[in-house]
Amino acid sequence: MRLVIMGPPGAGKGTQAVVLAEALGIPHISTGDIFRANVTQGTPLGLRAKSFMDAGEYVPDDVTNEMVRDRLSQADCGHGFLLDGYPRTVDQVAELDSMVGAVGSKLSKVVELTVDVDEVVSRLVRRSSEQGRSDDGEDVIRRRLEVYFDATAPLTAVYDDRGLLIKVSGMGAVADVSHRVLEALGVDA
Ligand code: AP5
């Protein structure tokens, strides 16, 4: 399976991606996690990405696309992958098509988690107090949501037109959401 999970900040993409990747035996590739690991390690990529992330803006497409292209070329992605947080722009959609097409393949499904804005804000504010993630301050949360609804939410229509989009409610308990996602994909839990 070559899957993408989409949804606004705080929708539960990362949380559900862990469950899904485990159930399907495919690697979970989170662009946000890769950027954060690079920030922590102080790599040139991390130094470049940090100012964008802390402002709630997207890291430029050329940087992000190259990072994903490199990750998808690794051997563990040969039988599938779950992309979490990529693609987020028109350019990234086209790049992903090219990466997947280059190995004679195509995406299997795109899962969109839908969640009320009040709920995602409250999840991220809670995470801020528990973990102190640098982009979980209230102003930055607001900006991340604006950027998502402006640049990324319209992209789900592209995948809907291709017959790939599955919308799943991300509201409620984590286990209930997992059950809905697995059921929508026809995966035995
Ligand atoms: P990224 O890390 O992907 O951040 P995000 O999209 O804002 O998503 P979050 O991680 O905040 O939320 P999530 O939907 O994964 O939910 P989660 O499971 O964590 O990206 C960070 C930044 O990196 C971007 O802003 C950008 O700068 C850059 N970046 C990344 N990808 C990029 C790209 N493709 N192009 C350009 N730039 C890119 O859950 C959130 C919280 O809610 C957690 O505390 C969790 O425990 C809790 N929670 C989850 N599910 C539930 C539930 N059902 N009920 C209650 N709480 C829940």
Side-chain angles (χ1 to χ4, degrees):
M1 280 235 196
R2 290 173 172 78
L3 298 175
V4 170
I5 188 161
M6 299 180 79
K13 300 182 295 296
T15 303
Q16 297 304 328
V18 169
V19 176
L20 204 47
E22 169 75 23
L24 293 167
I26 52 177
H28 165 206
I29 300 169
S30 157
T31 42
D33 285 351
I34 300 174
F35 283 133
R36 277 185 292 278
N38 277 274
V39 170
T40 303
Q41 291 158 19
T43 67
L45 174 64
L47 293 174
R48 175 111 197 258
K50 184 172 172 30
S51 58
F52 294 100
M53 296 172 79
D54 286 350
E57 305 293 339
Y58 287 166
V59 178
D61 283 335
D62 58 338
V63 177
T64 308
N65 288 332
E66 189 184 331
M67 182 178 86
V68 174
R69 189 175 284 278
D70 175 64
R71 182 64 187 88
L72 291 189
S73 71
Q74 292 173 21
D76 63 335
C77 295
H79 298 293
F81 53 76
L82 171 56
L83 280 167
D84 157 14
Y86 182 95
R88 296 192 199 218
T89 65
V90 171
D91 188 61
Q92 291 179 17
V93 167
E95 280 292 316
L96 179 59
D97 287 341
S98 139
M99 292 175 213
V100 176
V103 292
S105 188
K106 52 187 186 173
L107 291 177
S108 311
K109 289 286 173 202
V110 174
V111 176
E112 180 190 5
L113 290 178
T114 59
V115 185
D116 297 347
V117 167
D118 288 351
E119 170 66 13
V120 295
V121 171
S122 100
R123 288 181 189 178
L124 297 179
V125 168
R126 195 178 321 129
R127 183 171 66 187
S128 170
S129 67
E130 290 167 0
Q131 298 176 19
R133 197 171 116 172
S134 63
D135 57 351
D136 277 345
E138 276 198 58
D139 286 353
V140 181
I141 291 172
R142 203 170 304 120
R143 181 61 192 150
R144 284 161 62 201
L145 284 165
E146 277 174 5
V147 171
Y148 174 81
F149 285 109
D150 185 38
T152 304
L155 303 179
T156 59
V158 174
Y159 292 121
D160 200 16
D161 287 348
R162 296 184 195 176
L164 295 179
L165 190 71
I166 304 175
K167 284 184 187 237
V168 178
S169 168
M171 297 292 285
V174 169
D176 292 341
V177 179
S178 302
H179 182 76
R180 286 197 285 271
V181 172
L182 291 167
E183 193 173 44
L185 286 168
V187 178
D188 288 332

